[in-house]
Amino acid sequence: MRFRSVFFGAASRAKLGTPAQQQRFRRTYSHLRRPDSERPSFGIAFDIDGVILRGRTPIGGSPQALRRLYDADGSLKVPFLFLTNGGGVPETKRALELSELLKVQISALQVVQGHSPFRRLVSRFENELIVAIGKGEPAAVMLEYGFKKVLSIDDYASYFNDIDPLSQYKSWGLKHSYERNYNSKGLQPKYDVYSERVKGAFVVSDPVDWGRDIQVLCDILRCGGLPGKENGHQPPLFFAADDLEYQAVFPSERLGMGAFRIGLESIYNSIHSSPLEYTSFGKPNPFVFKNAESILTKLVTHVCQVKETMMGEKCAFNTIYMIGDNPKVDINGAKKVGHPWFSILTRTGVFRGKDNHEQYPADLVVDTVGDAIDFILKKECT
């Protein structure tokens, strides 16, 4: 296996979206203007699945817990963000969904998803043909980031007859393909997929049709970006995360993107002379936590009007609390990056143990996210 770690040293360059998004954020919290001496000395990063929500249902008293981080007038009091390996929709849409479910106002700037770091690759692939894989709206995600030539794997596969030998047995797939092609008035590809090579494949969220997606990705990757042709140099492959399991609505954990990666890698290495090369983002990669720290700092500079000094020093946190349910992902990542991160493990998701996790022990174990907020606010005397 070849694994290329993603650890960009320029975490401080993390952006808070477009100028229009930044202006909307300033306007949202324009009535909260704390002087530097009153700025919060701590921040919070929440995992979502298994901590805040299970499916679309709030858990652990999460709506009430989050409301404690706002002033009575709805202004943000404590800087926090959601740090999740999940995704599949643009951050703007996810922020609206979270706002509706949790009954507090969430900005897109407060949503950091597994695929959020993909926006850093725009300059490299902006005008190249890329394929986006996963549930939800993977192509819309990449287009919003600034990539110009994007096809979802559903659309890409539909232009190659018989690339999926089992498609005839997938009634839902045939119906979806028929409706898409009917609405687009034919099978004319948006791009010249028959001669233009795919220059990058991005697994944005958990794939839906594993068999089809593994088959098509093997075709793309071993044929140099042009399925059905002779073997060629493997295009770059990126995964938004590498979770083996995650907590969904079903009582026991579900297989995640990491399981899909294992399946793809095992098959690819069995049929190709060179091992699969890929890059994985997402927790527990230390870059993700450094990036979150940078975004939290920028949230404070916007909300509290803290200015950088002439020496370029930025306001720092004494503590950043990572509240998660997955010891291997959330707790392990916070431990890897070290100060100022403090890990809190809840029992509402992947972890259900009575005591601390043996391999990846958290700094604190609580039952729910509500308990975690109780501890933080008491400790910080807020």
Side-chain angles (χ1 to χ4, degrees):
M1 177 186 78
R2 294 183 183 178
F3 174 77
R4 293 179 293 178
S5 175
V6 185
F7 197 109
F8 296 96
S12 62
R13 294 198 302 267
K15 296 183 179 179
L16 289 175
T18 65
Q21 289 173 324
Q22 294 184 33
Q23 182 60 35
R24 286 197 297 271
F25 179 79
R26 294 189 191 98
R27 189 164 58 247
T28 299
Y29 302 121
S30 60
H31 48 297
L32 176 59
R33 288 292 181 261
R34 304 179 186 274
D36 188 18
S37 61
E38 296 181 14
R39 69 172 176 80
S41 61
F42 67 99
I44 305 174
F46 296 93
D47 185 30
I48 296 178
D49 296 319
V51 174
I52 299 294
L53 301 172
R54 179 167 292 177
R56 292 180 58 84
T57 303
I59 58 175
S62 55
Q64 297 85 348
L66 290 174
R67 279 199 290 272
R68 298 177 67 186
L69 307 181
Y70 292 80
D71 281 326
D73 61 0
S75 302
L76 188 63
K77 181 168 59 176
V78 176
F80 75 88
L81 53 74
F82 295 100
L83 187 60
T84 174
N85 279 354
V89 296
E91 286 77 4
T92 50
K93 184 172 182 178
R94 187 62 167 148
L96 290 173
E97 292 175 349
L98 289 169
S99 298
E100 179 182 351
L101 293 173
L102 301 171
K103 308 304 180 186
V104 294
Q105 184 163 355
I106 305 297
S107 165
L109 310 177
Q110 294 172 274
V111 179
V112 183
Q113 303 185 98
H115 48 69
S116 296
F118 285 172
R119 58 165 54 92
R120 291 172 174 267
L121 298 170
V122 170
S123 61
R124 180 178 170 188
F125 295 96
E126 181 177 5
N127 297 304
E128 306 285 4
L129 178 61
I130 63 171
V131 171
I133 301 98
K135 66 182 180 183
E137 306 167 15
V141 167
M142 302 302 282
L143 288 168
E144 182 161 303
Y145 288 165
F147 297 88
K148 299 292 196 302
K149 300 174 70 175
V150 185
L151 284 175
S152 70
I153 198 166
D154 291 336
D155 286 332
Y156 188 80
S158 71
Y159 298 124
F160 292 87
N161 292 332
D162 304 317
I163 195 170
D164 177 9
L166 302 178
S167 62
Q168 60 183 306
Y169 302 104
K170 302 172 184 176
S171 58
W172 62 269
L174 287 174
K175 181 176 184 293
H176 177 67
S177 178
Y178 170 79
E179 291 176 347
R180 182 174 64 251
N181 293 329
Y182 176 81
N183 292 334
S184 62
K185 298 181 179 179
L187 272 169
Q188 283 299 319
K190 189 175 182 179
Y191 309 111
D192 188 4
V193 298
Y194 306 120
S195 62
E196 186 172 358
R197 295 183 183 274
V198 173
K199 296 299 177 62
F202 293 78
V203 185
V204 175
S205 51
D206 293 322
V208 176
D209 188 345
W210 282 34
R212 191 274 315 269
D213 292 356
I214 288 176
Q215 175 67 75
V216 175
L217 279 174
C218 283
D219 288 329
I220 291 172
L221 297 173
R222 68 174 173 171
C223 296
L226 202 58
K229 303 299 181 182
E230 69 284 352
N231 287 356
H233 182 69
Q234 181 204 313
L237 171 65
F238 302 94
F239 290 89
D242 204 35
D243 287 5
L244 181 63
E245 295 180 308
Y246 67 98
Q247 184 64 58
V249 178
F250 196 75
S252 57
E253 294 79 17
R254 302 292 85 193
L255 297 176
M257 194 180 300
F260 175 81
R261 191 267 304 162
I262 291 171
L264 171 63
E265 184 177 20
S266 178
I267 293 170
Y268 184 88
N269 291 350
S270 298
I271 64 175
H272 197 266
S273 58
S274 298
L276 182 70
E277 295 185 356
Y278 61 89
T279 300
S280 287
F281 293 78
K283 299 174 292 184
N285 194 311
F287 160 74
V288 173
F289 292 83
K290 288 292 187 181
N291 184 55
E293 183 176 341
S294 177
I295 293 174
L296 282 168
T297 299
K298 290 179 181 293
L299 285 171
V300 172
T301 64
H302 281 271
V303 173
C304 303
Q305 290 189 320
V306 179
K307 304 297 183 182
E308 295 185 17
T309 69
M310 294 298 291
M311 297 299 293
E313 296 174 347
K314 298 179 180 179
C315 61
F317 294 96
N318 295 332
T319 310
I320 300 178
Y321 297 92
M322 175 71 233
I323 305 176
D325 70 303
N326 191 328
K328 186 176 181 180
V329 174
D330 302 312
I331 307 307
N332 183 28
K335 290 289 187 182
K336 281 184 176 181
V337 75
H339 179 78
W341 289 83
F342 182 100
S343 58
I344 301 179
L345 181 61
T346 70
R347 296 187 176 94
T348 48
V350 172
F351 178 74
R352 307 287 178 86
K354 180 180 179 181
D355 300 314
N356 210 334
H357 192 267
E358 185 174 341
Q359 186 176 3
Y360 303 109
D363 295 311
L364 176 69
V365 180
V366 297
D367 288 332
T368 69
V369 67
D371 297 330
I373 295 302
D374 277 343
F375 168 82
I376 293 171
L377 297 184
K378 288 177 182 177
K379 181 174 179 291
E380 299 293 342
C381 299
T382 303

